[in-house]
């Protein structure tokens, strides 16, 4: 990956930052069609987000490979910086979309983790919204919320920003979606 793990939030210049922002909103727009039509996506409680001004941490369970697009669409128009394990930035088909939506790698090295926490707190204080999957890993179609790791909550407390919980749930396909999808 060309992302500097020691300072993952830094984009090299204004053109790069503008390109990352344009890519994020382009992919978010495409995601709207993808998540609403074939998945029958539904968002509840979006109006509560209007009260959040400035930086925040969003957290959610991790039950589907499309969780990122689901969350980006549900939290629109806020731009969310997603965190991802460092290995995703090396996967052949995943690395480019992950990189171009502006995701940042969580360092695998424990000695870089302290710096990552400090940089994230700094970004939160200047108004960035950062998303974490505190369960730590994807568990496809999980019916329960697994225990959370505490790092995201410590960063929110250190930065003095709210934590916005988001829950992704599976529900049976209803109406016209039953024609396309048998699975929940």
């Amino acid at each position: 990956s060309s992302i500097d793990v020691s300072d993952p939030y830094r984009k090299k210049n204004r053109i790069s930052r503008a390109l990352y922002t344009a890519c994020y909103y382009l992919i978010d727009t495409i995601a709207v069609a993808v998540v609403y039509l074939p998945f029958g996506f539904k968002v509840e409680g979006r109006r509560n987000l209007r009260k959040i001004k400035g930086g925040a941490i969003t957290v959610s369970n991790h039950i589907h490979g499309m969780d990122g697009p689901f969350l980006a669409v549900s939290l629109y128009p806020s731009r969310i910086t997603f965190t991802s394990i460092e290995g995703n930035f090396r996967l052949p088909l995943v690395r480019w979309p992950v990189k171009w939506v502006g995701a940042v790698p969580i360092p695998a090295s424990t000695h870089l983790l302290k710096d990552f926490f400090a940089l994230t707190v700094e970004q939160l204080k200047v108004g960035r919204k950062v998303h974490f999957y505190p369960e730590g890993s994807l568990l496809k179609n999980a019916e329960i919320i697994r225990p959370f790791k505490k790092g995201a909550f410590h960063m929110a407390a250190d930065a003095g920003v709210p934590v916005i919980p988001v829950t992704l749930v599976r529900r049976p396909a209803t109406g016209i979606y039953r024609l396309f999808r048998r699975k929940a």
Side-chain angles (χ1 to χ4, degrees):
S1 168
S2 61
I3 294 177
D4 179 6
V5 179
S6 64
D7 191 1
Y9 294 100
R10 185 176 63 85
K11 305 301 182 233
K12 294 186 179 3
N13 55 45
R14 288 181 190 199
I15 294 170
S16 292
R17 288 192 299 272
L19 196 53
Y20 277 94
T21 300
C23 284
Y24 178 89
Y25 284 111
L26 174 66
I27 291 171
D28 200 17
T29 302
I30 293 167
V32 168
V34 171
V35 301
Y36 278 107
L37 296 176
F39 287 102
F41 186 68
K42 182 179 175 184
V43 178
E44 293 178 10
R46 182 179 297 189
R47 65 190 147 115
N48 298 327
L49 297 173
R50 293 184 202 137
K51 300 172 188 169
I52 307 295
K53 304 293 181 213
I57 284 187
T58 60
V59 295
S60 73
N61 53 333
H62 199 9
I63 63 169
H64 196 280
M66 292 286 289
D67 285 350
F70 291 158
L71 291 161
V73 168
S74 65
L75 298 169
Y76 183 86
S78 292
R79 180 174 179 200
I80 307 299
T81 299
F82 288 92
T83 56
S84 181
I85 60 171
E86 204 174 330
N88 285 345
F89 290 83
R90 293 187 199 96
L91 295 173
L93 295 175
V94 176
R95 70 176 166 215
W96 294 110
V98 168
K99 177 183 174 184
W100 283 102
V101 296
V104 295
I106 299 172
S109 163
T110 53
H111 75 276
L112 290 175
L113 209 49
K114 184 177 179 182
D115 292 338
F116 174 77
F117 275 36
L119 289 167
T120 301
V121 167
E122 193 177 292
Q123 293 297 313
L124 292 165
K125 286 180 179 179
V126 297
R128 189 179 290 245
K129 290 178 176 59
V130 182
H131 182 76
F132 287 89
Y133 296 104
E135 291 178 322
S137 62
L138 169 65
L139 182 58
K140 275 215 170 248
N141 302 320
E143 299 276 335
I144 60 167
I145 295 178
R146 295 171 285 147
F148 285 175
K149 294 181 178 9
K150 298 174 187 168
F153 302 95
H154 285 289
M155 286 183 267
D158 290 349
V161 298
V163 175
I164 303 169
V166 180
T167 305
L168 299 165
V169 295
R170 298 172 61 228
R171 57 186 172 87
T174 58
I176 194 166
Y177 297 109
R178 287 193 333 218
L179 300 174
F180 304 108
R181 297 193 57 82
R182 296 285 178 223
K183 292 193 273 182

